[in-house]
Amino acid sequence: MSTRPVAARWRQLAGLVARRLGVTLVLLVGVTIVTFSLVQLVPGDAASANLSEAAQADPEVVAAYRDKWGLDDSIVERYLTYMGNLLHGDLSVSQVDGRSVATSLGDYVPATLELAIPAMLIAVVLGVSIGMLGAVKRGRVTDQVIRFGALVGLSTPSFWLAIVVLYVFFFVLGIAPNGGRLSPQFAPPPEVTGMYTVDAALAGQWTVWWDAVQHLMLPVLVLSCLTVAMLIRFVRSSMLEVMQQDYVAAATAKGLPRRTVLGRHVLRAGLAPVLTVSGLAFASMLSGTVLIEQVFSWPGLGQYAYRSASSLDLPSIMGVCLLVALIYMLMNLVVDFLYGVIDPRIRG
Amino acid sequence: MSRHLSVGRGARIAVAAVVSAALTAGCSAGGSDGSSGGGGGSDTLTVNTSFVIKNIDPAMEYEATGALTVNALYDTLVTFEGSDVGEPVGELAESFEASDDATTFTFKLHEDATFSDGTPVTAEDVVFSLNRLKNLKGSPSVIVAGMSFEATDESTVVVTSDEPNPNVPTILAMPSTGIVNSKVAKENGATDAEDAAKTDSATQYLDQNPAGSGPYVLESFDPSSQVVLKANPEYWGEAPEFSRVVISNMDVQNQKLTVSKATSATVALDLSGSSLEGLPESLQQSGAQDTYYFLTLHQDPAVDEVTSNLDFVRALRASIDYAGVAKLFGENAQPAAGVVPPAFPGALEEADAQVQDLDAAADFLDDAGLDQPKVSLMYPSITYRGVDLGTIAAKIQGDAKKAGIEIELNPQPIAAFLDAQSGGKVAMRFSPQSLNYPVAASLVNNLAPGQSTAATTGWTPERATPEAIAAGEDVLGTLDPEAQVTALQEWQRVLNEDSPYIPLAYNAGTVVATPDLTGAEYSPAGWQLDVAAVGKK
């Protein structure tokens, strides 16, 4: 093989990556404009949301607050100030607690990741297995039960499921903790990643590690249940579609074992749409689990986003929106890459 | 903490992450002893509450969880013991006295009082802290408006009020007046200068490194999940019994499950109304009715022709089933007699509670010249102290309908409600209300014609009756506490006739605690629970 085609392929790849990064940057700027504009349209004022009623009656206090946060500047001035800070890597500070938005995101994102990663692993393993089983057993009792279970799973409100699970496993059975990331008697492990299970393992604090794992179980269970139900339906319908293709019939007619046909031909071809859904589901887990976090007292990104929105904390809202947009873009990038891995036509 | 990692460490992290995730994924729900449902060990007190906290800089804190925490970290000149908010007692002040005209207050400091770093608390620290509170112009700054502070020697502070104000000692018991180690604070960006609102940058430092003289010091502070306190080894007063306090953010349902299952050293702070029902009898409850819920009707005809008609206000007032409204708040609530809740001196007697009188409502509507009037009721769509405000609004709507008044409900997100409220153009609104500090006379400063709440209701002195104005002036002009109580009661009777306010019910704040605890008393002073006073039986 000559080096020229390889070099050309690398150049092509570099160009592709550069184009995608360029598009990502443009999209992020678009997100800042849209978010900034939307926050201005929301009825409410940061001063009245954050000052006490008595303080609002004092013009000096209100003026000091508005001056401190530039609330009297025009929207264009405020936007340009924000973008100026952003270009220097500064996400500004929260109008509510004065903390750096970047620091707060650094605290909350690991907590959410610690929930979302095991929940997604469970969801993918169970969703793909059960979805395939439903497709293989199409029309039989097993399939009917799976379809019914998936429907129930999708129709169940997440906060309700969270409350029920907490009630049953903590209150009635007493075999799970009541929420939070650690029991009160434990201090968090030395911070490396911000994920307690990982940090405790790194520090060799196995009692803390086990406590952190126990605290993860119920929220992970709830979070994965909802995604499993969704994946089951996608995998089942995707597999059924592929199983009706001529090449699958041909493979079966050639006498290939059923396991080989399903694993090599059906599963691989049917996984593409499932990948898209999984990517979006994972991004959604990272950005929108506020109710589950609320019930399980989990200090994640969802709760931070909710607090920021309810107090009209513009810098925090901007920080969350930028992060969520970035997560979705990265997930799309990862999904595109995985498409290439599972589908040779795209790779070519 | 740095997040930069070496390659080797990165690989270890990746391995640990995969192992953790796999093990977590593989776990069944079994194996836990549910230990975090109860207390966190024999020497740890767990306080579960739904967090309302922004920071723990005393000069900036205003919210309930902030006050609870700051009260444990910082001493104030005076304080209240247990649930009694009638008489402040000395804390950093060994003694204090007021001038006859209630404008000058002299506080003599304990000579042995020290900050957590061992340095003595001086009058200079007190003056710095109070001036900083005033000049930072945050939410709590308004409580010291009109006051000035002076150190006359190392251990004497003189507080002067522009107006006669016998309640200065009570104000100086609030956690936001907590005394900061001025040397440490200044070294980290604090200032008490007049431009402190622009130039002070110490809040971030104080959030992680409180510089107080209270019974506890900070172990960790995360405004979204938990605040951990540990006993101050240098505390100059009586050491608290629990060496560690974990204040955890927990929603109300979870608090109920947790305290019901806990066997030791656990407290829940947000159970109220129906959420108190069904708790195990072994649990202790301590509460005080310190909150009132009220309707306000705009008095400017340009905003609303109907609500600005005082006879319409009287008709609506007569139409409401107050006992029925109180029932919706649970068994610890009661129908309102006036705007001063029973936890504070000056409240009207329970027998004075308002009652529904539909005939009187009809008569008042005739006097108002209104037939089938229609008004909009705005309220924040929140659950407050365990009660959905929408339920109360619907009850008011139903009661008013019986008197021929049609009310259109207008729930709003809290931020939109607060904005509309401060905009002063809401025809009729419904909300809970607590006192800025535990003195009922402070309500006059909010509710009297032309004052802050009244201003957002269009109740100016020009639109108020002379009786309503005079009754408020009587309260503020009375320096004798007993005479002030009488004046407050008379003021409320006038409000019940001539004001745009309709108080509906009183609701209680409650501390629910496991049976092994002592001193777990609810305080209506603002900090809810003095964690340092909680002990073991």
Side-chain angles (χ1 to χ4, degrees), chain A residues 52 56 60 67 98 108 175 178 184 191 214 217, chain B residues 1 3 28-29 32 198 204 224 244 254 258:
Chain A
S52 65
Q56 286 174 50
E60 271 191 47
D67 183 48
Y108 300 127
I175 55 172
N178 61 335
E191 186 180 344
Q214 287 178 312
M217 289 185 304
Chain B
M1 180 173 289
R3 291 178 188 275
S28 71
S32 168
K198 275 190 173 178
Q204 293 304 296
S224 70
R244 195 163 173 266
N254 202 347
T258 300

mmCIF file with all atom_site columns, all heavy atoms in Angstrom, chain A residues 52 56 60 67 98 108 175 178 184 191 214 217, chain B residues 1 3 28-29 32 198 204 224 244 254 258:
data_model
loop_
_atom_site.group_PDB
_atom_site.id
_atom_site.type_symbol
_atom_site.label_atom_id
_atom_site.label_alt_id
_atom_site.label_comp_id
_atom_site.label_asym_id
_atom_site.label_entity_id
_atom_site.label_seq_id
_atom_site.pdbx_PDB_ins_code
_atom_site.Cartn_x
_atom_site.Cartn_y
_atom_site.Cartn_z
_atom_site.occupancy
_atom_site.B_iso_or_equiv
_atom_site.pdbx_formal_charge
_atom_site.auth_seq_id
_atom_site.auth_comp_id
_atom_site.auth_asym_id
_atom_site.auth_atom_id
_atom_site.pdbx_PDB_model_num
ATOM 1   N N   . SER A 1 52  ? -35.260 39.792 48.861 1.00 0.00 ? 52  SER A N   1
ATOM 2   C CA  . SER A 1 52  ? -36.438 39.629 49.706 1.00 0.00 ? 52  SER A CA  1
ATOM 3   C C   . SER A 1 52  ? -37.425 40.757 49.420 1.00 0.00 ? 52  SER A C   1
ATOM 4   O O   . SER A 1 52  ? -37.059 41.795 48.854 1.00 0.00 ? 52  SER A O   1
ATOM 5   C CB  . SER A 1 52  ? -36.025 39.683 51.173 1.00 0.00 ? 52  SER A CB  1
ATOM 6   O OG  . SER A 1 52  ? -35.529 40.972 51.477 1.00 0.00 ? 52  SER A OG  1
ATOM 7   N N   . GLN A 1 56  ? -36.657 44.559 48.335 1.00 0.00 ? 56  GLN A N   1
ATOM 8   C CA  . GLN A 1 56  ? -37.153 45.155 47.086 1.00 0.00 ? 56  GLN A CA  1
ATOM 9   C C   . GLN A 1 56  ? -37.789 46.519 47.318 1.00 0.00 ? 56  GLN A C   1
ATOM 10  O O   . GLN A 1 56  ? -37.900 47.322 46.394 1.00 0.00 ? 56  GLN A O   1
ATOM 11  C CB  . GLN A 1 56  ? -38.180 44.221 46.444 1.00 0.00 ? 56  GLN A CB  1
ATOM 12  C CG  . GLN A 1 56  ? -37.564 42.999 45.799 1.00 0.00 ? 56  GLN A CG  1
ATOM 13  C CD  . GLN A 1 56  ? -38.639 42.062 45.317 1.00 0.00 ? 56  GLN A CD  1
ATOM 14  O OE1 . GLN A 1 56  ? -39.563 42.469 44.640 1.00 0.00 ? 56  GLN A OE1 1
ATOM 15  N NE2 . GLN A 1 56  ? -38.528 40.801 45.680 1.00 0.00 ? 56  GLN A NE2 1
ATOM 16  N N   . GLU A 1 60  ? -32.259 51.668 47.274 1.00 0.00 ? 60  GLU A N   1
ATOM 17  C CA  . GLU A 1 60  ? -30.786 51.572 47.290 1.00 0.00 ? 60  GLU A CA  1
ATOM 18  C C   . GLU A 1 60  ? -30.324 50.126 47.118 1.00 0.00 ? 60  GLU A C   1
ATOM 19  O O   . GLU A 1 60  ? -29.374 49.839 46.400 1.00 0.00 ? 60  GLU A O   1
ATOM 20  C CB  . GLU A 1 60  ? -30.248 52.099 48.617 1.00 0.00 ? 60  GLU A CB  1
ATOM 21  C CG  . GLU A 1 60  ? -29.967 53.593 48.613 1.00 0.00 ? 60  GLU A CG  1
ATOM 22  C CD  . GLU A 1 60  ? -29.179 53.986 49.853 1.00 0.00 ? 60  GLU A CD  1
ATOM 23  O OE1 . GLU A 1 60  ? -28.191 53.318 50.174 1.00 0.00 ? 60  GLU A OE1 1
ATOM 24  O OE2 . GLU A 1 60  ? -29.607 54.944 50.509 1.00 0.00 ? 60  GLU A OE2 1
ATOM 25  N N   . ASP A 1 67  ? -27.010 47.121 39.647 1.00 0.00 ? 67  ASP A N   1
ATOM 26  C CA  . ASP A 1 67  ? -25.717 47.621 39.202 1.00 0.00 ? 67  ASP A CA  1
ATOM 27  C C   . ASP A 1 67  ? -24.682 46.492 39.217 1.00 0.00 ? 67  ASP A C   1
ATOM 28  O O   . ASP A 1 67  ? -23.918 46.318 38.281 1.00 0.00 ? 67  ASP A O   1
ATOM 29  C CB  . ASP A 1 67  ? -25.293 48.770 40.134 1.00 0.00 ? 67  ASP A CB  1
ATOM 30  C CG  . ASP A 1 67  ? -23.983 49.383 39.690 1.00 0.00 ? 67  ASP A CG  1
ATOM 31  O OD1 . ASP A 1 67  ? -23.859 49.673 38.489 1.00 0.00 ? 67  ASP A OD1 1
ATOM 32  O OD2 . ASP A 1 67  ? -23.081 49.540 40.530 1.00 0.00 ? 67  ASP A OD2 1
ATOM 33  N N   . GLY A 1 98  ? -23.159 33.641 43.750 1.00 0.00 ? 98  GLY A N   1
ATOM 34  C CA  . GLY A 1 98  ? -21.854 34.258 43.518 1.00 0.00 ? 98  GLY A CA  1
ATOM 35  C C   . GLY A 1 98  ? -20.741 33.276 43.183 1.00 0.00 ? 98  GLY A C   1
ATOM 36  O O   . GLY A 1 98  ? -19.593 33.662 43.047 1.00 0.00 ? 98  GLY A O   1
ATOM 37  N N   . TYR A 1 108 ? -21.392 19.426 39.738 1.00 0.00 ? 108 TYR A N   1
ATOM 38  C CA  . TYR A 1 108 ? -22.650 18.703 39.494 1.00 0.00 ? 108 TYR A CA  1
ATOM 39  C C   . TYR A 1 108 ? -22.557 17.669 38.368 1.00 0.00 ? 108 TYR A C   1
ATOM 40  O O   . TYR A 1 108 ? -23.234 16.647 38.417 1.00 0.00 ? 108 TYR A O   1
ATOM 41  C CB  . TYR A 1 108 ? -23.779 19.694 39.193 1.00 0.00 ? 108 TYR A CB  1
ATOM 42  C CG  . TYR A 1 108 ? -24.017 20.654 40.338 1.00 0.00 ? 108 TYR A CG  1
ATOM 43  C CD1 . TYR A 1 108 ? -24.035 22.025 40.165 1.00 0.00 ? 108 TYR A CD1 1
ATOM 44  C CD2 . TYR A 1 108 ? -24.177 20.166 41.635 1.00 0.00 ? 108 TYR A CD2 1
ATOM 45  C CE1 . TYR A 1 108 ? -24.219 22.893 41.230 1.00 0.00 ? 108 TYR A CE1 1
ATOM 46  C CE2 . TYR A 1 108 ? -24.358 21.022 42.707 1.00 0.00 ? 108 TYR A CE2 1
ATOM 47  C CZ  . TYR A 1 108 ? -24.375 22.386 42.499 1.00 0.00 ? 108 TYR A CZ  1
ATOM 48  O OH  . TYR A 1 108 ? -24.548 23.229 43.556 1.00 0.00 ? 108 TYR A OH  1
ATOM 49  N N   . ILE A 1 175 ? -33.895 -2.191 52.635 1.00 0.00 ? 175 ILE A N   1
ATOM 50  C CA  . ILE A 1 175 ? -32.680 -2.786 52.066 1.00 0.00 ? 175 ILE A CA  1
ATOM 51  C C   . ILE A 1 175 ? -31.938 -1.815 51.157 1.00 0.00 ? 175 ILE A C   1
ATOM 52  O O   . ILE A 1 175 ? -31.019 -2.207 50.446 1.00 0.00 ? 175 ILE A O   1
ATOM 53  C CB  . ILE A 1 175 ? -33.006 -4.082 51.283 1.00 0.00 ? 175 ILE A CB  1
ATOM 54  C CG1 . ILE A 1 175 ? -34.065 -3.804 50.226 1.00 0.00 ? 175 ILE A CG1 1
ATOM 55  C CG2 . ILE A 1 175 ? -33.453 -5.187 52.225 1.00 0.00 ? 175 ILE A CG2 1
ATOM 56  C CD1 . ILE A 1 175 ? -34.307 -4.978 49.295 1.00 0.00 ? 175 ILE A CD1 1
ATOM 57  N N   . ASN A 1 178 ? -31.834 5.954  51.678 1.00 0.00 ? 178 ASN A N   1
ATOM 58  C CA  . ASN A 1 178 ? -32.975 6.834  51.379 1.00 0.00 ? 178 ASN A CA  1
ATOM 59  C C   . ASN A 1 178 ? -32.663 7.949  50.401 1.00 0.00 ? 178 ASN A C   1
ATOM 60  O O   . ASN A 1 178 ? -33.504 8.800  50.155 1.00 0.00 ? 178 ASN A O   1
ATOM 61  C CB  . ASN A 1 178 ? -33.467 7.468  52.683 1.00 0.00 ? 178 ASN A CB  1
ATOM 62  C CG  . ASN A 1 178 ? -32.389 8.320  53.333 1.00 0.00 ? 178 ASN A CG  1
ATOM 63  O OD1 . ASN A 1 178 ? -31.202 8.093  53.103 1.00 0.00 ? 178 ASN A OD1 1
ATOM 64  N ND2 . ASN A 1 178 ? -32.777 9.280  54.126 1.00 0.00 ? 178 ASN A ND2 1
ATOM 65  N N   . PRO A 1 184 ? -24.658 9.850  56.113 1.00 0.00 ? 184 PRO A N   1
ATOM 66  C CA  . PRO A 1 184 ? -24.125 11.004 56.842 1.00 0.00 ? 184 PRO A CA  1
ATOM 67  C C   . PRO A 1 184 ? -22.794 10.746 57.556 1.00 0.00 ? 184 PRO A C   1
ATOM 68  O O   . PRO A 1 184 ? -22.007 11.663 57.735 1.00 0.00 ? 184 PRO A O   1
ATOM 69  C CB  . PRO A 1 184 ? -25.228 11.310 57.864 1.00 0.00 ? 184 PRO A CB  1
ATOM 70  C CG  . PRO A 1 184 ? -26.461 10.731 57.294 1.00 0.00 ? 184 PRO A CG  1
ATOM 71  C CD  . PRO A 1 184 ? -26.039 9.543  56.496 1.00 0.00 ? 184 PRO A CD  1
ATOM 72  N N   . GLU A 1 191 ? -11.208 14.167 46.175 1.00 0.00 ? 191 GLU A N   1
ATOM 73  C CA  . GLU A 1 191 ? -11.756 14.377 44.837 1.00 0.00 ? 191 GLU A CA  1
ATOM 74  C C   . GLU A 1 191 ? -10.708 14.229 43.744 1.00 0.00 ? 191 GLU A C   1
ATOM 75  O O   . GLU A 1 191 ? -9.667  14.860 43.780 1.00 0.00 ? 191 GLU A O   1
ATOM 76  C CB  . GLU A 1 191 ? -12.390 15.759 44.745 1.00 0.00 ? 191 GLU A CB  1
ATOM 77  C CG  . GLU A 1 191 ? -13.104 15.951 43.415 1.00 0.00 ? 191 GLU A CG  1
ATOM 78  C CD  . GLU A 1 191 ? -13.743 17.317 43.288 1.00 0.00 ? 191 GLU A CD  1
ATOM 79  O OE1 . GLU A 1 191 ? -13.901 17.992 44.313 1.00 0.00 ? 191 GLU A OE1 1
ATOM 80  O OE2 . GLU A 1 191 ? -14.077 17.691 42.157 1.00 0.00 ? 191 GLU A OE2 1
ATOM 81  N N   . GLN A 1 214 ? -24.279 1.636  47.049 1.00 0.00 ? 214 GLN A N   1
ATOM 82  C CA  . GLN A 1 214 ? -25.636 1.409  47.554 1.00 0.00 ? 214 GLN A CA  1
ATOM 83  C C   . GLN A 1 214 ? -26.539 2.615  47.288 1.00 0.00 ? 214 GLN A C   1
ATOM 84  O O   . GLN A 1 214 ? -27.711 2.468  46.954 1.00 0.00 ? 214 GLN A O   1
ATOM 85  C CB  . GLN A 1 214 ? -25.583 1.122  49.054 1.00 0.00 ? 214 GLN A CB  1
ATOM 86  C CG  . GLN A 1 214 ? -25.031 -0.259 49.362 1.00 0.00 ? 214 GLN A CG  1
ATOM 87  C CD  . GLN A 1 214 ? -24.935 -0.492 50.861 1.00 0.00 ? 214 GLN A CD  1
ATOM 88  O OE1 . GLN A 1 214 ? -24.420 0.346  51.593 1.00 0.00 ? 214 GLN A OE1 1
ATOM 89  N NE2 . GLN A 1 214 ? -25.438 -1.613 51.305 1.00 0.00 ? 214 GLN A NE2 1
ATOM 90  N N   . MET A 1 217 ? -27.920 2.704  43.703 1.00 0.00 ? 217 MET A N   1
ATOM 91  C CA  . MET A 1 217 ? -28.778 1.631  43.176 1.00 0.00 ? 217 MET A CA  1
ATOM 92  C C   . MET A 1 217 ? -30.175 2.090  42.791 1.00 0.00 ? 217 MET A C   1
ATOM 93  O O   . MET A 1 217 ? -30.639 1.833  41.678 1.00 0.00 ? 217 MET A O   1
ATOM 94  C CB  . MET A 1 217 ? -28.852 0.490  44.192 1.00 0.00 ? 217 MET A CB  1
ATOM 95  C CG  . MET A 1 217 ? -27.540 -0.259 44.263 1.00 0.00 ? 217 MET A CG  1
ATOM 96  S SD  . MET A 1 217 ? -27.607 -1.699 45.328 1.00 0.00 ? 217 MET A SD  1
ATOM 97  C CE  . MET A 1 217 ? -28.148 -1.031 46.861 1.00 0.00 ? 217 MET A CE  1
ATOM 98  N N   . MET B 2 1   ? -9.519  22.151 43.605 1.00 0.00 ? 1   MET B N   1
ATOM 99  C CA  . MET B 2 1   ? -8.668  20.957 43.441 1.00 0.00 ? 1   MET B CA  1
ATOM 100 C C   . MET B 2 1   ? -8.356  20.748 41.959 1.00 0.00 ? 1   MET B C   1
ATOM 101 O O   . MET B 2 1   ? -9.232  20.892 41.107 1.00 0.00 ? 1   MET B O   1
ATOM 102 C CB  . MET B 2 1   ? -9.401  19.731 43.995 1.00 0.00 ? 1   MET B CB  1
ATOM 103 C CG  . MET B 2 1   ? -8.594  18.461 43.877 1.00 0.00 ? 1   MET B CG  1
ATOM 104 S SD  . MET B 2 1   ? -9.398  17.094 44.704 1.00 0.00 ? 1   MET B SD  1
ATOM 105 C CE  . MET B 2 1   ? -9.176  17.553 46.400 1.00 0.00 ? 1   MET B CE  1
ATOM 106 N N   . ARG B 2 3   ? -7.785  19.172 38.441 1.00 0.00 ? 3   ARG B N   1
ATOM 107 C CA  . ARG B 2 3   ? -8.356  18.028 37.732 1.00 0.00 ? 3   ARG B CA  1
ATOM 108 C C   . ARG B 2 3   ? -7.395  17.516 36.661 1.00 0.00 ? 3   ARG B C   1
ATOM 109 O O   . ARG B 2 3   ? -7.770  16.723 35.820 1.00 0.00 ? 3   ARG B O   1
ATOM 110 C CB  . ARG B 2 3   ? -9.693  18.420 37.102 1.00 0.00 ? 3   ARG B CB  1
ATOM 111 C CG  . ARG B 2 3   ? -10.769 18.670 38.121 1.00 0.00 ? 3   ARG B CG  1
ATOM 112 C CD  . ARG B 2 3   ? -12.036 19.093 37.442 1.00 0.00 ? 3   ARG B CD  1
ATOM 113 N NE  . ARG B 2 3   ? -12.994 19.516 38.427 1.00 0.00 ? 3   ARG B NE  1
ATOM 114 C CZ  . ARG B 2 3   ? -13.815 18.707 39.098 1.00 0.00 ? 3   ARG B CZ  1
ATOM 115 N NH1 . ARG B 2 3   ? -13.773 17.428 38.879 1.00 0.00 ? 3   ARG B NH1 1
ATOM 116 N NH2 . ARG B 2 3   ? -14.654 19.169 39.980 1.00 0.00 ? 3   ARG B NH2 1
ATOM 117 N N   . SER B 2 28  ? -27.580 -5.952 43.055 1.00 0.00 ? 28  SER B N   1
ATOM 118 C CA  . SER B 2 28  ? -29.006 -6.020 43.324 1.00 0.00 ? 28  SER B CA  1
ATOM 119 C C   . SER B 2 28  ? -29.305 -4.976 44.371 1.00 0.00 ? 28  SER B C   1
ATOM 120 O O   . SER B 2 28  ? -28.425 -4.338 44.900 1.00 0.00 ? 28  SER B O   1
ATOM 121 C CB  . SER B 2 28  ? -29.384 -7.400 43.853 1.00 0.00 ? 28  SER B CB  1
ATOM 122 O OG  . SER B 2 28  ? -28.870 -7.536 45.144 1.00 0.00 ? 28  SER B OG  1
ATOM 123 N N   . ALA B 2 29  ? -30.590 -4.798 44.660 1.00 0.00 ? 29  ALA B N   1
ATOM 124 C CA  . ALA B 2 29  ? -30.949 -3.791 45.659 1.00 0.00 ? 29  ALA B CA  1
ATOM 125 C C   . ALA B 2 29  ? -30.663 -4.265 47.071 1.00 0.00 ? 29  ALA B C   1
ATOM 126 O O   . ALA B 2 29  ? -30.862 -3.549 48.020 1.00 0.00 ? 29  ALA B O   1
ATOM 127 C CB  . ALA B 2 29  ? -32.413 -3.418 45.519 1.00 0.00 ? 29  ALA B CB  1
ATOM 128 N N   . SER B 2 32  ? -27.913 -3.454 51.583 1.00 0.00 ? 32  SER B N   1
ATOM 129 C CA  . SER B 2 32  ? -27.801 -2.247 52.406 1.00 0.00 ? 32  SER B CA  1
ATOM 130 C C   . SER B 2 32  ? -28.497 -2.469 53.729 1.00 0.00 ? 32  SER B C   1
ATOM 131 O O   . SER B 2 32  ? -29.502 -3.129 53.822 1.00 0.00 ? 32  SER B O   1
ATOM 132 C CB  . SER B 2 32  ? -28.443 -1.064 51.696 1.00 0.00 ? 32  SER B CB  1
ATOM 133 O OG  . SER B 2 32  ? -28.566 -0.007 52.591 1.00 0.00 ? 32  SER B OG  1
ATOM 134 N N   . LYS B 2 198 ? -20.093 47.113 46.110 1.00 0.00 ? 198 LYS B N   1
ATOM 135 C CA  . LYS B 2 198 ? -19.317 46.966 44.869 1.00 0.00 ? 198 LYS B CA  1
ATOM 136 C C   . LYS B 2 198 ? -17.958 46.343 45.120 1.00 0.00 ? 198 LYS B C   1
ATOM 137 O O   . LYS B 2 198 ? -17.431 45.654 44.252 1.00 0.00 ? 198 LYS B O   1
ATOM 138 C CB  . LYS B 2 198 ? -19.090 48.348 44.237 1.00 0.00 ? 198 LYS B CB  1
ATOM 139 C CG  . LYS B 2 198 ? -20.215 48.814 43.355 1.00 0.00 ? 198 LYS B CG  1
ATOM 140 C CD  . LYS B 2 198 ? -19.786 50.053 42.599 1.00 0.00 ? 198 LYS B CD  1
ATOM 141 C CE  . LYS B 2 198 ? -20.854 50.424 41.590 1.00 0.00 ? 198 LYS B CE  1
ATOM 142 N NZ  . LYS B 2 198 ? -20.514 51.629 40.859 1.00 0.00 ? 198 LYS B NZ  1
ATOM 143 N N   . GLN B 2 204 ? -17.308 34.422 48.789 1.00 0.00 ? 204 GLN B N   1
ATOM 144 C CA  . GLN B 2 204 ? -16.811 33.122 48.321 1.00 0.00 ? 204 GLN B CA  1
ATOM 145 C C   . GLN B 2 204 ? -15.870 32.487 49.355 1.00 0.00 ? 204 GLN B C   1
ATOM 146 O O   . GLN B 2 204 ? -15.917 31.287 49.593 1.00 0.00 ? 204 GLN B O   1
ATOM 147 C CB  . GLN B 2 204 ? -16.071 33.277 46.990 1.00 0.00 ? 204 GLN B CB  1
ATOM 148 C CG  . GLN B 2 204 ? -16.963 33.675 45.839 1.00 0.00 ? 204 GLN B CG  1
ATOM 149 C CD  . GLN B 2 204 ? -18.093 32.706 45.657 1.00 0.00 ? 204 GLN B CD  1
ATOM 150 O OE1 . GLN B 2 204 ? -17.861 31.545 45.339 1.00 0.00 ? 204 GLN B OE1 1
ATOM 151 N NE2 . GLN B 2 204 ? -19.317 33.138 45.890 1.00 0.00 ? 204 GLN B NE2 1
ATOM 152 N N   . SER B 2 224 ? -26.128 22.534 47.165 1.00 0.00 ? 224 SER B N   1
ATOM 153 C CA  . SER B 2 224 ? -27.160 21.712 46.538 1.00 0.00 ? 224 SER B CA  1
ATOM 154 C C   . SER B 2 224 ? -27.424 20.422 47.290 1.00 0.00 ? 224 SER B C   1
ATOM 155 O O   . SER B 2 224 ? -28.472 19.802 47.104 1.00 0.00 ? 224 SER B O   1
ATOM 156 C CB  . SER B 2 224 ? -26.750 21.351 45.105 1.00 0.00 ? 224 SER B CB  1
ATOM 157 O OG  . SER B 2 224 ? -25.679 20.446 45.155 1.00 0.00 ? 224 SER B OG  1
ATOM 158 N N   . ARG B 2 244 ? -20.766 16.347 65.387 1.00 0.00 ? 244 ARG B N   1
ATOM 159 C CA  . ARG B 2 244 ? -20.906 16.524 63.939 1.00 0.00 ? 244 ARG B CA  1
ATOM 160 C C   . ARG B 2 244 ? -22.385 16.680 63.609 1.00 0.00 ? 244 ARG B C   1
ATOM 161 O O   . ARG B 2 244 ? -23.233 15.960 64.156 1.00 0.00 ? 244 ARG B O   1
ATOM 162 C CB  . ARG B 2 244 ? -20.318 15.287 63.237 1.00 0.00 ? 244 ARG B CB  1
ATOM 163 C CG  . ARG B 2 244 ? -20.050 15.439 61.763 1.00 0.00 ? 244 ARG B CG  1
ATOM 164 C CD  . ARG B 2 244 ? -19.088 14.324 61.307 1.00 0.00 ? 244 ARG B CD  1
ATOM 165 N NE  . ARG B 2 244 ? -18.936 14.337 59.867 1.00 0.00 ? 244 ARG B NE  1
ATOM 166 C CZ  . ARG B 2 244 ? -19.659 13.586 59.034 1.00 0.00 ? 244 ARG B CZ  1
ATOM 167 N NH1 . ARG B 2 244 ? -20.549 12.752 59.521 1.00 0.00 ? 244 ARG B NH1 1
ATOM 168 N NH2 . ARG B 2 244 ? -19.465 13.658 57.735 1.00 0.00 ? 244 ARG B NH2 1
ATOM 169 N N   . ASN B 2 254 ? -39.494 12.370 51.231 1.00 0.00 ? 254 ASN B N   1
ATOM 170 C CA  . ASN B 2 254 ? -38.353 11.580 51.690 1.00 0.00 ? 254 ASN B CA  1
ATOM 171 C C   . ASN B 2 254 ? -38.042 11.876 53.166 1.00 0.00 ? 254 ASN B C   1
ATOM 172 O O   . ASN B 2 254 ? -37.686 10.975 53.936 1.00 0.00 ? 254 ASN B O   1
ATOM 173 C CB  . ASN B 2 254 ? -37.142 11.892 50.812 1.00 0.00 ? 254 ASN B CB  1
ATOM 174 C CG  . ASN B 2 254 ? -36.109 10.777 50.845 1.00 0.00 ? 254 ASN B CG  1
ATOM 175 O OD1 . ASN B 2 254 ? -36.178 9.889  51.685 1.00 0.00 ? 254 ASN B OD1 1
ATOM 176 N ND2 . ASN B 2 254 ? -35.170 10.829 49.935 1.00 0.00 ? 254 ASN B ND2 1
ATOM 177 N N   . THR B 2 258 ? -37.890 9.067  55.994 1.00 0.00 ? 258 THR B N   1
ATOM 178 C CA  . THR B 2 258 ? -36.626 8.912  56.716 1.00 0.00 ? 258 THR B CA  1
ATOM 179 C C   . THR B 2 258 ? -36.803 9.057  58.226 1.00 0.00 ? 258 THR B C   1
ATOM 180 O O   . THR B 2 258 ? -36.310 8.233  59.001 1.00 0.00 ? 258 THR B O   1
ATOM 181 C CB  . THR B 2 258 ? -35.600 9.936  56.195 1.00 0.00 ? 258 THR B CB  1
ATOM 182 O OG1 . THR B 2 258 ? -35.401 9.704  54.808 1.00 0.00 ? 258 THR B OG1 1
ATOM 183 C CG2 . THR B 2 258 ? -34.273 9.806  56.914 1.00 0.00 ? 258 THR B CG2 1
#
